[in-house]
Amino acid sequence: MNEREVLSKYVYTIVSALVASGVEQVVVSPGSRSTPLAYAFASTKEIEMHRQVDERAAAFYALGLAKSTAKPVVLVCTSGTAAANYYPAIVEAKYARVPLIVLTADRPHELREVGAPQTINQVRLYGDNVKWSAEFPIPDEAPQTIPFIERHTVRAVNIATTAPFGPVHLNIPFREPLIIDFTDKLPVSSFIKSYTNELQPAKQAVAKLTAIIEQTTTGILIVGELPLGTNTEYLWDFIREVKWPVMIESLSNLRTEIPEDCQIYAISTYDTLMKNERFKRNVRPQTVIRFGAQPVSKFLMQFIVQANPQSYIVIDEDPMYRDSTHMSTHFIHALPGEWLSELKLANSQAEMAYVQFWKMADLLAADVIEKYSQFADDEGAMVQAFLTSIEEDADIYVSSSMPIRDIDTFLLTQNRPVQIFANRGANGIDGVTSTALGFSNGRKNRKTYLLIGDLAFLHDANAFVASRYQECDLTVIVMNNDGGGIFSYLPQSKVEEHYEDLFGTPTALTFEQMAKMYELDYEKATSLEQFKNALIADKQTPIKLIEAFTDRDENVKQHRELWARIHEVMEQWLDSL
């Protein structure tokens, strides 16, 4: 074969192995050294190609696609700093457990560390932030090369999609010329199929879990953000069997569509309840069982530390299980699955009075929260109006800092199939818009909304370039309080010196001109009433931007008044007991 034929067979073998392993989507950024890969993906009908010129935004876009589909997504870029721009999204994918297959094109070995342009050290570029990394050989006619790259590509997908999910990296060097012969038919893979195990707990673990539950009179469940693809019906079966109060984080997506017979166990206002010391003293649990990631609520995690339960069981798919409290007493290596619905308790000691105590407090707090917009005109009231007005079968992507906390506060238990998602692996505010755009493209049968602050929105101003290359459907709500609103709730806010320069960081920027540049619908809201009108206004373009102007100081004041009202109601109730 000539050089061109060798190169063509090489790249199409990679694509064929990816398709055979279940990969359906690829995100490509332009560049010369990645030409062979880009051509191979672009000419393959079995895989959908997305484009984004900014590699940093492209990686977050791929992250969103993977989160929405619970399937691996491929990233392709050229050599040099293009690959380095993937780094923030790869870090998020690692800690959020999202499967990305990162393919970085590279210069051949003779051009490395000799001053050649667009050449950096890309071998193991992402270090421990990927589950696995490998370098491919230069395309050649050696009989071992094609079988090697074929099986390493399969290995990459297997590793990315084995619990815990995560990113993998394949570095692929090419020599010039970079042009390939196009083909309508992928080569037939000599590797047939991978079979991986379902992650279930050991029998001894199930026996111990059952014994602890049967001996517990006062226990609580905590459900954080769950692994991609989790069947939540198994968790509801477990909740029915255990009959304990369950602290349901918004990102678990268990707060909506709660089965009727499980309503009594569902607690959504725990973050606010944990601000009342008397209540906490009355509900100290003997046992805590947690599924999924640690919740957003710092107050809930502090409560566990203060309560010091006899048993704190973490059920996680990663042996490096998550427990920043360092209070766990047992770890069970498992995914939430069918085994939960098969657990049967012979002698449950759970106290119904304990459940009812939790639920009454939850209902009292929820009643105050539901009336919030009658007293407030701030970001919280707007988030509440947003949650009550959006259609069913909608997804909300939420930025870190205040937006996710407001969602966690104002999303009460309900029976509407609204789902919440966020980048809470590393809890950063970068790349959120790109992630939401990718997410929306993976869930075209549902409406997608993005709730984000002004600084996070600025972090990802290039995101909408993706809309120039593929259809995008998204409604973006920017809470513009001119700075970092989350810091107003932290101790730094009490020190006036340097506060605005270092933490408030006002920019005085607004986004109407950005909307014009990208040809987005734009609605401006300076009051709760205007915001409600903006939400229901007809959408003239695929992407709509609602910019809600709020005041940081007023937001803090109104939120604290809400907590004070709930505290007062709780004290009156506790006095009456």
Side-chain angles (χ1 to χ4, degrees), residues 314-494:
V314 177
I315 300 173
D316 198 295
E317 72 272 24
D318 189 350
M320 286 292 293
Y321 63 94
R322 296 162 287 194
D323 174 27
S324 64
T325 67
H326 310 298
M327 297 294 294
S328 55
T329 59
H330 300 78
F331 163 64
I332 297 178
H333 188 206
L335 281 164
E338 189 173 0
W339 66 274
L340 286 170
S341 64
E342 296 171 351
L343 184 141
K344 301 300 178 187
L345 302 178
N347 183 30
S348 175
Q349 301 294 317
E351 292 182 356
M352 183 51 66
Y354 183 72
V355 175
Q356 293 171 337
F357 191 85
W358 267 103
K359 192 60 184 178
M360 179 56 70
D362 182 58
L363 292 172
L364 289 170
D367 182 63
V368 177
I369 292 171
E370 284 178 342
K371 298 172 182 175
Y372 183 72
S373 59
Q374 297 177 16
F375 306 97
D377 193 20
D378 68 335
E379 286 181 16
M382 290 179 178
V383 170
Q384 187 176 61
F386 166 53
L387 288 171
T388 55
S389 67
I390 62 171
E391 59 269 62
E392 294 189 356
D393 296 319
D395 296 320
I396 305 173
Y397 218 93
V398 189
S399 181
S400 290
S401 297
M402 279 310 297
I404 186 59
R405 286 168 174 81
D406 275 339
I407 287 288
D408 216 35
T409 296
F410 293 102
L411 180 69
L412 302 174
T413 54
Q414 56 183 268
N415 278 308
R416 298 172 66 226
V418 174
Q419 294 194 312
I420 312 296
F421 300 87
N423 289 355
R424 293 297 292 179
N427 298 353
I429 63 169
D430 49 344
V432 178
T433 306
S434 290
T435 312
L437 283 167
F439 186 93
S440 67
N441 258 319
R443 308 257 287 201
K444 292 178 181 176
N445 60 325
R446 294 170 64 93
K447 293 289 185 183
T448 303
Y449 293 83
L450 169 62
L451 180 66
I452 191 169
D454 54 298
L455 292 186
F457 190 67
L458 280 170
H459 260 278
D460 202 16
N462 282 352
F464 296 113
V465 175
S467 69
R468 317 307 286 180
Y469 302 111
Q470 50 265 319
E471 291 184 6
C472 296
D473 187 359
L474 183 68
T475 298
V476 182
I477 300 169
V478 179
M479 293 295 178
N480 192 341
N481 55 36
D482 195 21
I486 187 67
F487 295 106
S488 299
Y489 297 84
L490 301 180
Q492 295 94 313
S493 64
K494 295 181 173 60

Side-chain angles (χ1 to χ4, degrees), residues 6 44 46 70 115 221 270 299 302 306 323 327 346 396 417 423 429 453-454 468 494 506-507 516 551 555:
V6 169
T44 298
E46 290 90 347
L221 305 175
Y270 52 83
F299 290 99
Q302 290 174 343
Q306 294 169 359
D323 174 27
M327 297 294 294
I396 305 173
N423 289 355
I429 63 169
D454 54 298
R468 317 307 286 180
K494 295 181 173 60
T507 65
K516 287 181 179 179
D551 180 85
N555 290 333

